Amino acid sequence: MAAGPAPLGGHPRAQKPHLSKMERVVVSMQDPDQGVKMQSQRLLITVIPHAVTGNDVVEWLIQKYCIAEDEALHLGTLLVQHGYLYPLRDPRRLLLRPDETPYRFQVRLNWEQTPYFWMSTLWPAAELDYAIYLAKKNIRKQGALVDHEKVGYHHPSPATPAESSQRNPSPTSGAHSPGSKLIQMHKHTHPIEGVSEGRWGVHPPELGVGKSFPLETFNHPQAHYDQLHRKINHTWDLVVMQAREQLRAAKQRRKGDRLVIACQEQTYWLVNRPPTKTVDFYKRRIECCRKALGRTRVKSSVCLEAYLKFSSQRGPHDPLLSGCLPSNPWVTDDDTYWAMNAPSVAVPTKLRVEQWAFSFRELLEDPVGRAHFMDFLQTEFSAENLSFWEACEELRHGGQAQVPALVDAVYQQFLAPGAARWVNIDSRTMERTLEGLGRPHRHVLDDAQLHIYMLMKKDSYPRFLKSDLYKDLLAEAVVPLETKRRVFPFMWKPRHSSPSLALLPTSTSGEPEAAAGSPGGGDGET
Amino acid sequence: MAADGLHENETLASLKSEAESLKGKLEEERAKLHDVELHQVAERVEALGQFVMKTRRTLKGHGNKVLCMDWCKDKRRIVSSSQEHAVTMPCTWVMACAYAPSGCAIACGGLDNKCSVYPLTFDKNENMAAKKKSVAMHTNYLSACSFTNSDMQILTASGDGTCALWDVESGQLLQSFHGHGADVLCLDLAPSETGNTFVSGGCDKKAMVWDMRSGQCVQAFETHESDINSVRYYPSGDAFASGSDDATCRLYDLRADREVAIYSKESIIFGASSVDFSLSGRLLFAGYNDYTINVWDVLKGSRVSILFGHENRVSTLRVSPDGTAFCSGSWDHTLRVWA
């Protein structure tokens, strides 16, 4: 078939990487040597060939991926919900049972072999959806399709349903022809939302509905268009019928909703057409690469060591890692921890005061820490440095309209000759800053601010940490006691005390890894 | 494609091949200084013990899928958005939301291509929609938004492939960031001393670090195999983690200028939608599209725990500002607080 205008960009975006991964799992499950034991399974008085039991599937998953039973059950259930396995007993409840329930594999992935029913008669739903979308556009706009859309869209001869239904052995749900199966599927979902699979509009696989889903069988754009053309030929009726149905349903919606949904649909198809790479795009990439080549890098060993140091230093300060004293409010419903660590508290906790020594940034970020640092600077007669830095922060993060006034205020107070709180900046930075003041913008004081920041960090900050002021703060700081039992137990609903530590020592209980609750949900409440 | 912007000897093809060869050279340069792997360095770190984390609160107010959430700095309040016609937020498909640092306002947006700021009021009679201020305008959906250090500026990421910085008061565009080749899905501000950079991730599989002042891309990383749904800085600011549809989370170091760790497991098949670090950076929490949350040991690279509980995909996940818990939002209409 002749190509028509060249397809845009590169390959169509792989829409669902998780589907191809699931397929790989299922393929290994069906491996004659390493796969799940397949044999005839009994179902009451019937013998079913080439089936597997739920138990075997779970065992196989546990072995292959080194996971615990709950995760294997979860993964197995996902495979069933996506249609790769189907249960031969109680088919409406799509989950994997860890017992002798027989299951069979649904999908034959190599499409050159005899395909199973839904692969041959229903090509990947995404392409069908796209065809319907184009048909709708055509009907609405009477043929005014965008160029690239015209390539994938044809108005061929009517369908030959007889031809397509021949290759359709009926599945467990008893659908009779591709058309009715699709309508049956879409009845369960909103007509627009079910089909227009916006990035944010995909419904989860619905239980009890043998829903098809888009599989990327063809990655090459040329094959894609050939396929669309060939397939549209014999399900043309269906496409037009769906398009008309959707447009009619759309008319019954409120205008606001129609607009939003139309946008959503349009966005989806725009998103799934890779953007044309322009000259600008490549030039920017080249620029970015060139700059990147010129940058200095640090050895991996140095960078990675830094993580170790950082994490070990912060470990005791991490409530989810080491617990917190007196207790984690979310676990015990006791607010004391929050009260003791309020932003402006009279006596900070020991951990908090220790944290001021970790980095200058963290000292400044804590209002209590910053206040004490200001007191310290006052004893050294350099408090104007911190005030200047604060004023610059206000400028940088303030509203656009306030910029000129703030710049002026800062200049008058800190930079002008003879200013009340003059800050000591090196002459070169001062010159550059004064120049920039002619056209004030929010970043005009960045250089000066950085200079003062580094001054405080290298000079005043280390002295602060060695000062008596800081040492006294450390000594006076509070270390809360762990809450072991409730003070007034009769006033509260009796609860077993929850450990304040998120971690239990490895040696003790043989609790499974996922003690965090069964799939039914683990509320810590009762 | 139009020939404008091309010099004499350039064609689109030649630009493309130049870009490719430079990219190859860059990879070589990056590899030269890579002398050790993270898990090797982490061998001498003590292993974590058994993990016990449970849902401590389940929040059920939403009538539809929860798409996004953010914590207030008071560590207790949460704002969340979902796919519904809420009375106060008259925009379906609110995909991004953020709390202002002061706790007095929230920003949100989505399919309306805008980011709007709503001042918060506890007066039930007041109509919040009336006080709404439209701040950002993109040409496609809004995927993420965040206030910078104050209530006055907002950073947004959009399906139109750009990020932008806005002045809240006037709605003025202060800076725009171009470079992604497809939708930008997420962003995070760097906790640095100078507070001038942020990272964004997009459908082009790239994570890019930007200078907020100049609008330039400072660093770019392209090792994921699919869309990057979430990016979050390591608490020191020297690295960031990303979660992607390729079912992996990865750690990128900014000083080494490369990917330094991959968090993946063969049994994890569905994409990671949202990631966040615990306070010390030792733990990485990631929410996945298969309804689970996996907890990773950042240093050793192993999975510490898997948390079940949600009944549909986990769409958003954030650790509280004081690190005492994390909250996950899901398409099952609920939010869960875990500790």
Side-chain angles (χ1 to χ4, degrees):
Chain A
M1 176 214 147
L8 293 179
H11 326 286
R13 210 157 61 98
Q15 290 171 39
K16 302 228 181 271
H18 62 273
L19 289 176
S20 47
K21 289 199 173 107
M22 278 203 284
E23 283 163 32
R24 276 204 285 277
V25 175
V26 174
V27 167
S28 9
M29 283 172 86
Q30 292 179 84
D31 183 283
D33 300 313
Q34 306 279 333
V36 187
K37 257 190 324 212
M38 257 200 279
Q39 55 203 39
S40 302
Q41 302 291 345
R42 273 210 114 75
L43 183 64
L44 297 179
I45 54 168
T46 327
V47 173
I48 297 158
H50 306 303
V52 296
T53 66
N55 244 344
D56 287 340
V57 173
V58 173
E59 284 306 316
W60 186 88
L61 286 170
I62 290 176
Q63 279 288 324
K64 169 110 176 149
Y65 296 114
C66 305
I67 53 182
E69 184 176 348
D70 52 15
E71 194 175 353
L73 271 171
H74 176 80
L75 183 54
T77 300
L78 283 170
L79 291 173
V80 174
Q81 284 176 345
H82 279 77
Y84 289 104
L85 274 173
Y86 61 91
L88 293 168
R89 196 199 305 155
D90 198 5
R92 257 183 278 170
R93 296 193 57 216
L94 291 181
L95 35 86
L96 186 75
R97 289 176 213 272
D99 57 20
E100 298 304 304
T101 310
Y103 291 83
R104 283 189 82 177
F105 292 99
Q106 183 91 291
V107 178
R108 185 73 70 172
L109 296 158
N110 188 344
W111 59 280
E112 275 159 6
Q113 295 177 359
T114 318
Y116 275 60
F117 69 96
W118 61 266
M119 276 300 284
S120 63
T121 55
L122 309 171
W123 79 79
E127 288 165 26
L128 172 63
D129 297 344
Y130 190 51
I132 292 172
Y133 169 68
L134 290 177
K136 277 196 295 187
K137 271 187 110 172
N138 190 36
I139 293 169
R140 264 203 315 257
K141 298 182 183 171
Q142 268 109 40
L145 281 175
V146 178
D147 265 301
H148 69 257
E149 288 169 342
K150 279 204 197 114
V151 177
Y153 180 83
H154 279 265
H155 194 308
S157 51
T160 51
E163 183 190 293
S164 43
S165 62
Q166 255 166 29
R167 288 187 282 150
N168 181 17
S170 84
T172 49
S173 55
H176 301 296
S177 73
S180 72
K181 178 152 179 86
L182 270 181
I183 293 187
Q184 181 191 20
M185 268 175 6
H186 293 309
K187 250 196 338 209
H188 291 268
T189 61
H190 186 285
I192 303 282
E193 285 181 347
V195 174
S196 306
E197 197 183 282
R199 206 197 141 72
W200 301 92
V202 178
H203 285 266
E206 289 193 286
L207 297 184
V209 178
K211 194 169 173 176
S212 170
F213 48 89
L215 270 184
E216 277 297 320
T217 44
F218 307 107
N219 277 323
H220 194 276
Q222 186 60 47
H224 180 87
Y225 288 126
D226 287 347
Q227 192 70 11
L228 208 55
H229 171 68
R230 235 186 299 134
K231 291 281 165 92
I232 279 180
N233 260 324
H234 69 247
T235 51
W236 166 245
D237 270 358
L238 168 70
V239 170
V240 171
M241 175 176 44
Q242 267 293 307
R244 288 212 184 103
E245 180 76 21
Q246 288 180 21
L247 283 174
R248 198 177 50 74
K251 284 206 171 77
Q252 289 164 4
R253 305 188 69 71
R254 285 183 294 154
K255 184 158 184 197
D257 286 348
R258 278 214 306 272
L259 280 172
V260 171
I261 287 167
C263 281
Q264 178 192 349
E265 207 180 359
Q266 201 174 15
T267 301
Y268 174 71
W269 293 114
L270 279 174
V271 161
N272 281 282
R273 297 230 141 257
T276 325
K277 307 247 160 74
T278 62
V279 170
D280 262 342
F281 174 82
Y282 285 119
K283 287 209 161 167
R284 262 200 294 268
R285 271 197 94 148
I286 289 169
E287 186 54 41
C288 204
C289 274
R290 285 220 179 99
K291 256 202 314 234
L293 278 166
R295 71 180 299 123
T296 42
R297 279 177 199 84
V298 180
K299 264 199 304 195
S300 287
S301 46
V302 174
C303 302
L304 301 176
E305 283 289 334
Y307 299 156
L308 261 58
K309 177 159 180 274
F310 185 87
S311 287
S312 71
Q313 197 184 42
R314 311 303 163 119
H317 297 248
D318 184 342
L320 290 174
L321 198 65
S322 319
C324 55
L325 299 173
S327 67
N328 188 323
W330 295 103
V331 174
T332 59
D333 283 344
D334 177 8
D335 277 7
T336 313
Y337 178 78
W338 283 332
M340 295 183 80
N341 286 285
S344 304
V345 75
V347 185
T349 63
K350 189 128 193 262
L351 278 179
R352 187 171 174 176
V353 178
E354 277 171 5
Q355 196 169 353
W356 300 341
F358 289 165
S359 75
F360 188 42
R361 172 171 66 89
E362 280 161 282
L363 171 68
L364 290 184
E365 273 174 2
D366 184 343
V368 175
R370 194 195 286 199
H372 285 297
F373 185 61
M374 181 68 94
D375 290 341
F376 173 74
L377 288 179
Q378 257 147 17
T379 68
E380 300 210 325
F381 306 105
S382 54
E384 66 275 358
N385 286 340
L386 186 56
S387 302
F388 173 71
W389 181 85
E390 284 177 337
C392 291
E393 281 290 281
E394 212 190 309
L395 169 68
R396 249 173 7 122
H397 301 293
Q400 189 67 1
Q402 283 81 51
V403 166
L406 274 172
V407 170
D408 193 51
V410 170
Y411 174 73
Q412 296 300 335
Q413 224 194 352
F414 299 99
L415 296 172
R421 312 190 69 190
W422 192 79
V423 288
N424 192 0
I425 306 177
D426 69 285
S427 50
R428 211 163 23 147
T429 312
M430 180 65 99
E431 228 179 271
R432 253 207 319 268
T433 308
L434 292 176
E435 253 176 58
L437 289 178
R439 276 166 294 121
H441 57 91
R442 70 175 58 243
H443 292 288
V444 73
L445 295 174
D446 275 10
D447 289 339
Q449 183 184 8
L450 186 62
H451 178 90
I452 293 293
Y453 182 86
M454 295 312 277
L455 193 68
M456 289 192 290
K457 178 176 170 181
K458 300 257 159 72
D459 207 20
S460 322
Y461 177 57
R463 278 204 300 276
F464 168 73
L465 293 179
K466 296 199 192 94
S467 70
D468 288 335
L469 187 101
Y470 181 68
K471 294 207 174 94
D472 289 343
L473 284 168
L474 264 178
E476 284 157 16
V478 177
V479 180
L481 292 170
E482 185 177 348
T483 306
K484 282 264 186 249
R485 44 174 85 248
R486 305 222 138 254
V487 179
F488 302 107
F490 54 86
M491 280 174 68
W492 304 88
K493 200 160 75 160
R495 274 178 234 274
H496 50 265
S497 70
S498 313
S500 62
L501 291 170
L503 294 173
L504 301 176
T506 18
S507 49
T508 55
S509 55
E511 263 187 330
E513 208 187 62
S518 57
D523 266 337
E525 278 297 306
T526 43
Chain B
M1 203 55 228
D4 37 348
L6 288 170
H7 294 315
E8 257 184 44
N9 297 328
E10 292 175 347
T11 62
L12 197 65
S14 75
L15 280 180
K16 182 173 178 190
S17 65
E18 192 185 344
E20 298 290 303
S21 86
L22 277 175
K23 188 172 166 211
K25 275 208 199 98
L26 183 58
E27 292 312 311
E28 270 174 43
E29 282 301 309
R30 281 173 165 168
K32 279 183 191 160
L33 289 173
H34 188 56
D35 51 347
V36 72
E37 296 289 334
L38 179 54
H39 64 85
Q40 290 172 302
V41 171
E43 259 159 32
R44 59 178 210 270
V45 177
E46 212 178 284
L48 295 173
Q50 283 288 347
F51 220 70
V52 182
M53 274 187 87
K54 292 191 184 139
T55 301
R56 303 291 173 179
R57 297 282 187 285
T58 307
L59 309 174
K60 293 187 181 169
H62 279 290
N64 216 315
K65 303 172 182 160
V66 177
L67 300 175
C68 184
M69 58 95 21
D70 191 19
W71 288 89
C72 177
K73 287 227 157 53
D74 74 358
K75 310 150 201 172
R76 294 192 243 194
R77 283 185 295 163
I78 291 173
V79 66
S80 62
S81 68
S82 85
Q83 172 205 342
E84 63 187 332
H85 254 303
V87 173
T88 49
M89 311 283 173
C91 156
T92 55
W93 295 98
V94 181
M95 293 153 60
C97 62
Y99 234 117
S102 68
C104 300
I106 58 164
C108 63
L111 276 193
D112 57 351
N113 298 358
K114 291 198 268 214
C115 183
S116 310
V117 175
Y118 296 80
L120 286 177
T121 169
F122 289 109
D123 181 353
K124 287 201 166 72
N125 296 326
E126 255 203 274
N127 182 4
M128 276 182 65
K131 292 248 166 94
K132 149 184 144 170
K133 191 197 300 249
S134 260
V135 173
M137 271 297 289
H138 279 278
T139 55
N140 215 316
Y141 67 90
L142 190 89
S143 56
C145 66
S146 172
F147 283 88
T148 60
N149 285 38
S150 75
D151 287 13
M152 312 282 200
Q153 288 172 24
I154 289 191
L155 195 55
T156 58
S158 164
D160 64 11
T162 69
C163 298
L165 182 67
W166 310 84
D167 177 66
V168 172
E169 193 58 47
S170 61
Q172 185 188 348
L173 173 68
L174 298 174
Q175 186 61 263
S176 68
F177 308 90
H178 296 261
H180 275 288
D183 309 22
V184 186
L185 296 178
C186 51
L187 60 82
D188 192 32
L189 282 153
S192 85
E193 292 179 305
T194 46
N196 266 334
T197 59
F198 72 95
V199 63
S200 65
C203 290
D204 57 354
K205 313 176 200 166
K206 281 205 291 204
M208 300 176 82
V209 182
W210 306 89
D211 178 328
M212 271 165 70
R213 188 176 159 175
S214 64
Q216 295 299 313
C217 165
V218 171
Q219 275 172 291
F221 304 91
E222 197 174 354
T223 61
H224 269 294
E225 291 160 16
S226 189
D227 305 355
I228 296 179
N229 297 314
S230 174
V231 285
R232 192 73 65 208
Y233 272 94
Y234 182 77
S236 73
D238 287 332
F240 67 90
S242 58
S244 158
D245 272 350
D246 66 6
T248 68
C249 297
R250 296 175 197 234
L251 187 68
Y252 297 92
D253 187 289
L254 296 171
R255 294 188 300 163
D257 192 32
R258 59 174 295 121
E259 170 195 295
V260 291
I262 305 184
Y263 306 101
S264 68
K265 209 164 149 44
E266 265 191 274
S267 60
I268 299 176
I269 286 177
F270 282 68
S273 62
S274 194
V275 299
D276 204 355
F277 285 98
S278 70
L279 272 197
S280 66
R282 181 69 193 269
L283 300 170
L284 179 69
F285 302 102
Y288 289 78
N289 292 339
D290 68 354
Y291 322 169
T292 64
I293 294 166
N294 286 288
V295 184
W296 299 91
D297 180 332
V298 171
L299 300 178
K300 291 199 178 276
S302 55
R303 197 224 1 229
V304 172
S305 180
I306 177 169
L307 303 175
F308 299 99
H310 277 297
E311 290 159 17
N312 206 321
R313 63 163 80 177
V314 178
S315 52
T316 175
L317 187 154
R318 294 292 279 264
V319 172
S320 73
D322 64 356
T324 48
F326 73 86
C327 178
S328 58
S330 161
W331 282 16
D332 68 3
H333 306 190
T334 69
L335 291 140
R336 284 174 181 249
V337 179
W338 306 76

